[in-house]
Amino acid sequence: MATLDKKTLSERDVCTKYVTPALVKAGWDLQDQVREEVTFTKGRVIVRGNLASRGKSKRADYLLSYKPNLPLAVIEVKKAHKNSVSAGMQQALEYAEMLDVPFVFSSNGDGFLMHDRTGHSVPPERELSLAEFPSPEELWQRYAAWKGIAPGKAPAVTQPYYADSTDKGPRYYQVNAVNRTIEAISQGHPRALLVMATGTGKTYTAFQIIWRLWKAGVKKRILFLADRNILVDQARINDFKPFGGVMTKIANRQVDTAYEVYLALYQALSGSDPSKDTFKQFPSDFFDLVIVDECHRGSAAENSEWRDILEYFSSATQIGLTATPKETADVSTTHYFGEPVYTYSLKQGIEDGFLAPYKVVRIDLDKDLVGWRPEKGKRDKHGREIEDRIYNQRDYDRTLVLEQRTQIVAHKVTEFLKASDRMAKTIVFCEDIDHAERMRRAIVNENPDLSAQNRRYVMQITGDNNEGKAELDNFIDPYSPYPVVVTTSKLLTTGVDAQTCKVVVLDQNIRSMTEFKQIIGRGTRIHEDQKKYFFTILDFRKATEHFADPEFDGQPLQVYSPGEEEPLVPPDQDQAEDEPSLDDEVHFPADDRDEGRVKYVVGDVPVYVLSERVQYYGNDGKLITESLKDFTRQAVRKEYASLDAFLKQWATADRKQAIIDELARHGVLFEQLEEVVGKDYSPFDLVLHVAFDQPPLTRKERAAKIRKQSYFNKYGEVARSVLEALLDKYADEGLDDLEELKLLRVHPLTQLGTPLEIVESFGGKEKYLAAVRELKEGLYKAS
């Protein structure tokens, strides 16, 4: 019997024949502790015009866990012909960092290279034979020592997650967040802060934290606090549903101490009148765990009445959840909760493919850029003389209403929807309630046809509008078509799970980074059933200049340190504008009203669009600000330093489309390039022209060159007709991936025979594919 040549084995063969047996011998349970080919990201969404595709997801060859979702190690395996066991180590280290595991292994089947990220091993890397792979208990003991987990605290750390029949499990970053939090509690920390971007499942993460601590018996009575009714109700109905009969929502200032899990609004527990402090009906040591949703609001301020609730239950472990930590002189999330035990950012969520990328359309209006000054003695529509000064963007819709400005914004929003999708769910953020009402009316007037079909096509949803608030659930329901366009001020800035929101319109002066992040978060969710993979921001107020701020999506904002003559409160952040009132029972945020504020209304001042530009989200997490050609040139030349390098790769590639797909994954926007250079050019010519300054040829010009070369004469009649038809597809319809066999099932190729008959006319599948490749090589020969 011939001896197996190890060097010919694939990665899967190495796993099956060498790595898996080594794990079994070391005592790892293949059923419960070992997972193979674990895909843990979705693959970044790549936007091409109005189309979207996914990039390559990340996949670990092995993920080893002590208990389900308590990962300890990753193994990256390479083919046996790699002479070193370390060939996969760098890739494995990247995965280990993302998966938050301390032990990292690479292998080629000859043995293992082990890397210990705990810092407890000297040296950190050493080679092991196949027989020396460590056991689960050995790695667990080392893990527990590294984390400082005493034996008596292990039950909470090892407690399984909640699992149901749907097989829905936590994503890798949710596992990291839950494990980091529970480990912090097990180490005796009284408070913990989790920072997770909007749309990444903070409530689900909170549920899993509570479930594990509750099931382990570590925490017996839990309070979940929020400041929006919708946050509490969504948690109770959806993620927290498994708690069933042990869970209750505190309402009507009535307390029942018979439950174990309590959900409550701050407003339902406290008020400006101490006699309304419902929370004091509980003994101060009643709860042993308090979780605060959106903790950057209310309770983050030391003088907040909501902070009184947390201080009253100070004996409980307290966990803060937020997408946007707030750090000012007198409002500090981290001062109270401490530095985050785990952070998962918007940038990382987009990179992993769990959050939607975005493009920005900046629309600059003339009166916004140059301002407006009334002529002497000018009066507004109500007969009031307008104060003589220069009004600018910060004044509009707060102290001065230019009605034609509202109309042109409504017109541009409608123009965008007509050019893309008129039924795309859209949120228009306005300055105040009055502005939201006027904007609703203007958009209705721009869309008389759809407004006539359904009165709910455009709705105002603000804190004072009961009809609008009643439609909130329909707006966030992915399968409810109406309302389509909603105008708001503060109500939808946070806590609204609008999964299918495709357009976010900014016609509001957004002064704080916290509020900006919350508003952008309305569009970042992906909903694959409804084909929502990205969203568009229409910016009329230069709000997206916040994207250029280095603090956007970075660490929490730095503490403001006022000088001697400066006020204690930072400029433009003198009030947390997204906070609801503490003095009432309204469980919606307080939209801005205009009581006590003079607001001039002017209808005869024309407003024009000065400029429009589209910006795209780049691979580095920033908006692409240079020209599309310059950006493309840089992106291509990062992969191919010269024209020769590109042509050589192109000539040797079996599938040319694979090169195009790879460039798209690196940020090249081919569909947008077509708009700039011309739609008649193939991706190959777009790259040659834009990246390497070569004169491009259209598809029809390339097809004509092939026909002049008598290329088809060597084939029989049927084969010649097939290649002619494929060439027509390339020239007339822009089809570049001619190797796709499914093309044989479309007109006019179906008239030439069945796919099998067509392939046989070339002498078989391999000869057919060789002929097509030769055709493409002829098309792309240097001109």
Side-chain angles (χ1 to χ4, degrees), residues 68-80:
N69 286 311
L70 183 55
L72 297 180
V74 293
I75 307 175
E76 190 60 31
V77 179
K78 297 301 178 185
K79 292 180 181 179

Side-chain angles (χ1 to χ4, degrees), residues 715-754:
Y715 294 101
E717 183 179 350
V718 174
R720 196 161 53 243
S721 298
V722 169
L723 293 173
E724 286 277 6
L726 289 174
L727 197 58
D728 289 340
K729 288 281 183 188
Y730 168 83
D732 299 332
E733 299 179 29
L735 294 179
D736 293 296
D737 202 1
L738 299 179
E739 294 102 324
E740 286 284 351
L741 292 173
K742 63 184 179 183
L743 288 177
L744 301 181
R745 300 182 182 276
V746 299
H747 183 80
L749 290 143
T750 50
Q751 296 180 325
L752 301 175
T754 66

Side-chain angles (χ1 to χ4, degrees), residues 46 116 243 291 318 338 340 409 497 499 506 661 680 690 711 717 726 775:
I46 300 166
D116 185 348
F243 286 121
I291 294 195
Q318 298 177 0
V409 170
D497 189 7
Q499 298 176 38
L506 304 178
D661 292 342
D680 296 329
V690 174
Y711 170 78
E717 183 179 350
L726 289 174
L775 172 63

Side-chain angles (χ1 to χ4, degrees), residues 428-463:
V428 185
F429 288 98
C430 303
E431 273 296 313
D432 55 23
I433 288 176
D434 168 65
H435 186 201
E437 162 53 25
R438 287 185 289 103
M439 187 62 70
R440 183 204 67 81
R441 191 185 325 144
I443 296 175
V444 166
N445 290 337
E446 287 286 333
N447 296 273
D449 52 343
L450 294 185
S451 297
Q453 288 178 23
N454 192 304
R455 65 175 179 80
R456 297 179 300 149
Y457 180 73
V458 187
M459 295 287 292
Q460 171 192 347
I461 301 183
T462 49

Side-chain angles (χ1 to χ4, degrees), residues 378-414:
K378 184 173 179 66
R379 295 182 179 274
D380 77 348
K381 291 182 68 172
H382 303 298
R384 294 173 298 195
E385 185 172 342
I386 303 172
E387 180 187 351
D388 181 17
R389 65 179 179 87
I390 296 176
Y391 294 85
N392 57 37
Q393 195 173 64
R394 296 185 68 124
D395 296 303
Y396 301 144
D397 301 300
R398 292 190 73 81
T399 59
L400 173 70
V401 174
L402 297 179
E403 290 186 325
Q404 292 192 36
R405 187 187 181 285
T406 306
Q407 291 164 11
I408 199 167
V409 170
H411 176 75
K412 297 305 290 185
V413 171
T414 301

Side-chain angles (χ1 to χ4, degrees), residues 630-650:
D630 289 342
F631 172 78
T632 302
R633 183 180 291 109
Q634 291 176 23
V636 172
R637 290 194 168 185
K638 280 182 182 177
E639 302 302 312
Y640 303 101
S642 66
L643 174 61
D644 285 344
F646 174 72
L647 291 176
K648 183 177 179 181
Q649 181 68 22
W650 186 269

Side-chain angles (χ1 to χ4, degrees), residues 129-146:
S129 69
L130 291 174
E132 291 177 309
F133 196 88
S135 69
E137 280 302 323
E138 180 184 342
L139 290 188
W140 164 247
Q141 293 302 327
R142 293 167 68 173
Y143 180 90
W146 172 51

